[in-house]
Amino acid sequence: MNTQKRTGPSWLMVASIGIAATLALSACATAESTQSNQKAPSTGDVDKAAAAALPAKYKDAGIIKVASDIPFPPMEMFDENQNLTGFDYDLAQALGAKLGVTMELQTQAFDSIIPSLQSGKHDVIMSGMNDTPERQETIDFVDYLHAGFSILVPAGNPDKIATVLDLCGQEVAVQKATVQAEILRGYDAQCTDAGAGPMKLSELPLETDVQTAVRAGKAVADVVDSAVASYAAQTAGDGEFFEVVRDPANPAGYDPVYTGIGVLKKDTELSQALLLALDSVIADGSYAEILAKYDMTDYAVDAAGINLGS
């Protein structure tokens, strides 16, 4: 996903009282609790063209089931009352309103999130998923963000990490099934030429697990979407646990990519309906408001599109 420079959030989130609290809340959350605060669409917000393009099965059901790896702040997370919040959640509610249905986020582990679509358990994915050519072999993306990756280190940067090549030969943690591991392995030759050897990558189930590993000294850094890195640096432990490495040569983060809503290739009508709904959300200013709420304005797409990451 994405790069970012966050200012302090104006709302109280679980992450702002530390990773341990986030883990505690997420551990007791159920699929039912992730749905409890999700809104029914407002008929006044419906976009006629988008709603007309939506396949009948979703209109009849009144719901689109969204697979989401919760928590993944600031994309999807729980507040202090265990209600869902986050950028993906807010955008999903806005899209649902345009389509005249409820977009219901349901917890799904990231490493099984595409199979959850293939099995029919879910209809779409909204989970900060990067649009890559490899993933496009299986699913299509309705893209809504564009940004890079950042390096998250303990506060004070004790290992003096300044660029991605400073991670060569070091223990580095990433979330399992994300594209960060693949990108970092792309530096193996440069690391070997520098005499330090390739990075020693640990792939952990949740981003909160990755951050915990860094705090515990089991990894020198977490390489993650820039929005996530910036949010963690500013909120975890009231901003005392982490900092983001600022590389002057890569001010927007490393390897900027698109992030999108994942839809099975056979569901082209659903993709087109979501694209029309996203166009409408952009046009009426809701998209800009949601980006600003989470200090993600720098990661806006110039225009919505399908499979822009090719």
Side-chain angles (χ1 to χ4, degrees), residues 39-78:
K39 304 170 187 174
S42 166
T43 55
D45 292 330
V46 171
D47 181 280
K48 292 181 179 179
L54 187 67
K57 66 182 262 188
Y58 304 108
K59 295 178 188 177
D60 294 343
I63 185 172
I64 295 174
K65 294 176 289 183
V66 183
S68 191
D69 181 25
I70 306 167
F72 189 60
M75 304 306 290
E76 38 267 332
M77 52 195 169
F78 296 106

Side-chain angles (χ1 to χ4, degrees), residues 204-291:
L204 303 176
L206 299 173
E207 172 57 23
T208 43
D209 297 333
V210 177
Q211 292 177 19
T212 298
V214 174
R215 285 194 60 212
K218 295 180 179 179
V220 300
D222 168 11
V223 177
V224 67
D225 295 343
S226 294
V228 176
S230 184
Y231 184 84
Q234 296 201 30
T235 60
D238 290 328
E240 296 181 357
F241 289 168
F242 301 111
E243 65 181 73
V244 177
V245 172
R246 304 296 180 188
D247 182 351
N250 294 275
Y254 296 94
D255 298 280
V257 297
Y258 286 95
T259 294
I261 304 167
V263 187
L264 289 176
K265 286 190 169 294
K266 68 181 181 65
D267 294 331
T268 54
E269 292 180 348
L270 177 57
S271 293
Q272 289 298 323
L274 288 165
L275 180 62
L276 289 171
L278 182 55
D279 283 337
S280 184
V281 169
I282 292 172
D284 73 8
S286 303
Y287 176 68
E289 290 176 6
I290 297 169
L291 285 164

Side-chain angles (χ1 to χ4, degrees), residues 20-46:
T22 305
L23 287 168
L25 285 179
S26 63
C28 64
T30 65
E32 182 178 355
S33 71
T34 67
Q35 302 166 17
S36 61
N37 68 320
Q38 301 188 52
K39 304 170 187 174
S42 166
T43 55
D45 292 330
V46 171

Side-chain angles (χ1 to χ4, degrees), residues 112-160:
S112 59
I113 209 163
I114 292 178
S116 80
L117 261 62
Q118 295 171 318
S119 70
K121 179 180 178 182
H122 295 109
D123 303 312
V124 302
I125 296 167
M126 286 188 73
S127 195
M129 177 172 273
N130 299 136
D131 174 358
T132 66
E134 294 75 19
R135 286 176 178 153
Q136 284 181 26
E137 294 177 4
T138 307
I139 60 176
D140 288 327
F141 288 88
V142 181
D143 291 316
Y144 59 85
L145 287 174
H146 186 243
F149 305 97
S150 290
I151 302 169
L152 187 69
V153 296
N157 195 3
D159 292 282
K160 307 303 178 190

Side-chain angles (χ1 to χ4, degrees), residues 149-226:
F149 305 97
S150 290
I151 302 169
L152 187 69
V153 296
N157 195 3
D159 292 282
K160 307 303 178 190
I161 305 298
T163 75
V164 68
L165 293 179
D166 290 331
L167 299 176
C168 294
Q170 305 265 33
E171 298 283 350
V172 179
V174 298
Q175 186 179 3
K176 185 178 180 181
T178 61
V179 299
Q180 281 88 331
E182 178 185 343
I183 288 172
L184 293 180
R185 289 188 182 103
Y187 289 95
D188 283 357
Q190 289 174 265
C191 288
T192 299
D193 289 345
M199 301 172 206
K200 302 169 185 176
L201 299 179
S202 296
E203 298 184 62
L204 303 176
L206 299 173
E207 172 57 23
T208 43
D209 297 333
V210 177
Q211 292 177 19
T212 298
V214 174
R215 285 194 60 212
K218 295 180 179 179
V220 300
D222 168 11
V223 177
V224 67
D225 295 343
S226 294

